[in-house]
Amino acid sequence: MIDIFDIMGPIMVGPSSSHTAGAVRIGRMARTLLREEPVKADIHLHGSFAGTGVGHGTDKALVAGLLGMAPDNLDIPNSFEIARERGLDFTFDEVDLREVHPNSVLMDLTGDRGGRLSIRASSTGGGRIRVDELDGVEVSFTGDYNTLIIQNMDKQGNLSEVTTALSLAQVNVANMSLHRSSKGGNVMMIIETDDPVPDAIVQLIENRPGILQVIHYRKED
Amino acid sequence: MNLNSMQEIVSLARREGKKFWEVVLETDMENREVSRYESMEKMAQTWHAMLEASQVYTGERRSASGLVGGQGKLMYDYAAAGKCIGGEFMGQVIGEALAMGESNACMRRIVAAPTAGACGVMPAVLIPLYWRENIPEEKMVEAMYVASGIGAVIAYRACISGAAGGCQAEIGSASAMAAGALVYLKGGNKDVMCHAVAMALKNLLGLACDPVAGLVEVPCVKRNVIGAVNAIAAADMALAGIESRIPVDEVIDAMGEVGRRLPVELRETALGGLAATPTGRAVKKRLHGNRGKKKRTLTIKDARWKLEKPAEEASEAPVEGETVPAT
Ligand code: SF4
């Protein structure tokens, strides 16, 4: 079903919903997933993001998102200067990621507390985005739902513990998927929910043995 | 209610004694599970964002490529001097369309309607009328629902992106949405509105999407003008009692069909039409000349890379065949 506010909207800083608004959302998603103030970002542009990215302000938009700006923030064109003031050091280059969406970017991020994240994401049109890879594990989620990203040691029973915790909190699961890195080892669980997951439940899940990390992305309007 | 057919929305509205915009509003409430107040609040914000974008325009900014900027201001001044062939009102409409398209290209805040490239059409017809006729806010918000409903039907039956259906799907759809909104504001009934939508879309059938260098600048900014002027013409024709011989849903289907048959060179790939003219190619070379030569790592201080490259240095690298979609 078409959302009429995708027709009359979004309210955004131009010029392109895919190359500008979508890029801001990717940067913002990356910041949320890093869970720290980013201090270093190596940004690798692929395909059309590399080809027409500068003319569309894709570079500024990605940095703006990393700084926490939303797609309608009028400071997006000034994001490079603001990054400098806030101590975010960034580099850009062009890469060929082969069989990925033409509007893709790969970012290697470091946060102010030393956390690191490698994220590959694509802008799929009309300002919508998709996260395609996290720390080398192929995933797929869009941020259209509240999303739990759970990293765990491939341990039996973790999945049912998580779903039990969610049903206790009466949180409706919309989609769920399991992803394994090609090298084997840890597993990434992506759980999309209709309602946000209460912090206490996120904590509870994170404290279970075998669970390494839980990130909660809250859906934005 | 699914917003799948203009005819169905109109029949349902008739059966239940509702206005077209109310059906669209109620569909949104159902779809996003929000209250009437929440939906209308969001639509009012969207309308205000259009108004604000218009009011903060100064004409001083230039786009990243330098191709766009200041055209809206030139038009406003010309219209204010009383020189406009189409009268002052038409001058304002043209100026508003240019100003919004330009604001988008210059990274200002706009409302994509239905896309960022076509963001000037709706405000260009709504804002000058709003000021001239002192139309109440609620009425403007209702007209926004009318336009959204029309856009949703077009998106369902055909498409609203240049990549999928050419510029007829962006500027053409925006023009159809604007024509419907105008008829509503002028008190035309639902049939009149359908004829206006059909005529507006028909008049732009087949329009190619051919942005120079893949940027939403040339011809996009000026195409907003034809979208707006065409919307006014279609609304006036319909209000005068002129009917579209082809029913509106069939016209929308035809637009989708024409879009599918458009060669890929004319669907946002910047490989045909104006983008492929000698001048269009030269602009592309100037902007993207060093692309593909070698992958460079950049730091903050030279992050403005390609744009500041002098033209001669960049021009040695031939760039062919790279597609550059942008919405
Ligand atoms: S030419 Fe293409 S990019 Fe420009 S407004 Fe038309 S559809 Fe959009």
Side-chain angles (χ1 to χ4, degrees):
Chain A
M1 182 73 209
I2 294 159
D3 180 348
I4 58 166
F5 290 99
D6 282 341
I7 304 284
M8 197 61 79
I11 301 171
M12 54 169 271
V13 163
S16 161
S17 54
S18 54
H19 284 58
T20 322
V24 178
R25 290 194 61 211
I26 288 175
R28 211 171 141 87
M29 169 65 88
R31 177 192 172 90
T32 307
L33 300 183
L34 180 64
R35 299 198 296 179
E36 295 179 19
E37 187 69 34
V39 292
K40 177 97 188 76
D42 293 314
I43 302 173
H44 314 287
L45 302 170
H46 167 89
S48 166
F49 261 18
T52 59
V54 173
H56 285 126
T58 305
D59 47 358
K60 291 176 184 152
L62 287 165
V63 171
L66 287 172
L67 293 169
M69 293 184 206
D72 66 346
N73 193 313
L74 282 170
D75 272 331
I76 291 168
N78 311 320
S79 68
F80 286 3
E81 291 78 38
I82 297 171
R84 207 167 302 150
E85 282 161 23
R86 293 198 7 207
L88 166 61
D89 190 16
F90 58 89
T91 67
F92 279 101
D93 66 2
E94 294 182 13
V95 289
D96 183 357
L97 299 171
R98 302 196 184 269
E99 311 283 299
V100 301
H101 190 281
N103 297 331
S104 283
V105 60
L106 175 71
M107 295 192 277
D108 294 308
L109 307 174
T110 309
D112 60 350
R113 285 177 274 127
R116 301 178 77 104
L117 176 78
S118 164
I119 173 174
R120 175 164 62 82
S122 47
S123 177
T124 55
R128 280 178 296 278
I129 64 164
R130 190 180 61 222
V131 177
D132 300 306
E133 194 181 307
L134 284 177
D135 291 329
V137 181
E138 288 205 20
V139 296
S140 177
F141 61 95
T142 58
D144 293 340
Y145 291 93
N146 300 288
T147 309
L148 280 180
I149 298 116
I150 303 172
Q151 260 178 298
N152 61 316
M153 304 178 330
D154 196 4
K155 203 172 149 283
Q156 285 238 320
N158 273 167
L159 183 60
S160 61
E161 281 173 7
V162 171
T163 47
T164 312
L166 291 177
S167 67
L168 271 179
Q170 298 189 322
V171 174
N172 233 340
V173 174
N175 299 299
M176 184 153 75
S177 57
L178 279 179
H179 308 268
R180 219 174 290 266
S181 93
S182 50
K183 300 176 199 93
N186 296 343
V187 171
M188 210 170 283
M189 258 186 249
I190 308 289
I191 300 177
E192 296 182 312
T193 62
D194 290 332
D195 305 303
V197 181
D199 288 338
I201 300 294
V202 175
Q203 265 304 323
L204 188 85
I205 296 172
E206 197 157 32
N207 290 341
R208 300 302 305 165
I211 305 262
L212 301 172
Q213 175 173 254
V214 181
I215 301 172
H216 186 213
Y217 168 81
R218 274 169 214 275
K219 181 184 150 191
E220 296 174 346
D221 206 17
Chain B
M1 180 74 202
N2 290 325
L3 304 174
N4 295 351
S5 142
M6 291 292 289
Q7 197 47 56
E8 278 173 28
I9 302 176
V10 168
S11 324
L12 178 95
R14 287 239 161 84
R15 260 199 323 274
E16 302 189 352
K18 287 179 185 148
K19 301 234 164 92
F20 186 93
W21 70 267
E22 286 176 303
V23 176
V24 181
L25 164 71
E26 284 166 14
T27 307
D28 181 51
M29 289 161 54
E30 206 180 288
N31 186 21
R32 293 192 303 124
E33 295 173 8
V34 294
S35 67
R36 190 181 178 91
Y37 175 80
E38 283 168 320
S39 178
M40 295 196 77
E41 175 80 3
K42 189 163 179 184
M43 194 56 93
Q45 278 168 7
T46 307
W47 159 240
H48 286 140
M50 275 187 190
L51 263 185
E52 193 193 308
S54 155
Q55 279 166 339
V56 299
Y57 171 80
T58 61
E60 274 158 21
R61 289 177 180 262
R62 297 295 175 269
S63 67
S65 72
L67 295 173
V68 161
Q71 288 84 11
K73 170 112 183 14
L74 285 175
M75 195 64 211
Y76 284 142
D77 292 348
Y78 172 80
K83 294 181 187 163
C84 195
I85 300 166
E88 194 178 347
F89 181 76
M90 205 47 115
Q92 285 166 358
V93 169
I94 297 171
E96 192 68 51
L98 291 168
M100 283 303 102
E102 225 178 286
S103 297
N104 179 54
C106 300
M107 297 190 81
R108 303 298 289 163
R109 183 157 56 209
I110 52 88
V111 179
T115 61
C119 71
V121 177
M122 285 291 300
V125 304
L126 292 185
I127 293 174
L129 197 72
Y130 168 74
W131 293 125
R132 185 179 77 179
E133 307 197 349
N134 265 315
I135 303 171
E137 290 282 322
E138 311 88 74
K139 189 96 183 172
M140 298 307 295
V141 173
E142 291 164 12
M144 296 278 283
Y145 276 105
V146 171
S148 313
I150 296 163
V153 174
I154 298 176
Y156 177 82
R157 300 183 81 94
C159 52
I160 54 164
S161 79
C167 202
Q168 55 161 9
E170 289 199 11
I171 295 289
S173 301
S175 192
M177 290 158 63
L182 282 176
V183 168
Y184 174 71
L185 289 172
K186 283 300 196 174
N189 70 26
K190 299 182 189 79
D191 291 326
V192 173
M193 192 191 78
C194 286
H195 287 302
V197 171
M199 287 189 282
L201 196 56
K202 270 163 45 172
N203 288 356
L204 293 173
L205 224 56
L207 193 61
C209 170
D210 48 359
V212 168
L215 301 179
V216 194
E217 301 193 10
V218 177
C220 316
V221 171
K222 290 165 196 147
R223 288 244 172 101
N224 279 282
V225 174
I226 190 55
V229 173
N230 178 55
I232 293 176
D236 266 338
M237 282 195 282
L239 288 161
I242 299 169
E243 299 188 344
S244 170
R245 296 299 183 207
I246 312 287
V248 60
D249 286 323
E250 292 181 33
V251 172
I252 296 172
D253 294 345
M255 189 276 270
E257 197 237 357
V258 170
R260 282 188 294 277
R261 285 168 179 246
L262 272 181
V264 69
E265 287 81 2
L266 300 179
R267 282 189 275 124
E268 218 177 66
T269 52
L271 295 172
L274 296 169
T277 55
T279 304
R281 284 177 195 272
V283 170
K284 179 176 174 181
K285 221 171 207 181
R286 173 165 68 79
L287 294 176
H288 308 316
N290 60 347
R291 173 155 157 65
K293 253 167 120 185
K294 68 170 173 288
K295 309 240 153 79
R296 301 205 296 147
T297 305
L298 301 139
T299 56
I300 289 187
K301 62 180 179 335
D302 60 5
R304 280 168 198 273
W305 28 323
K306 293 169 197 164
L307 294 176
E308 284 172 2
K309 276 228 138 196
E312 319 83 72
E313 203 189 321
S315 62
E316 52 194 79
V319 190
E320 286 301 355
E322 192 64 43
T323 60
V324 282
T327 322

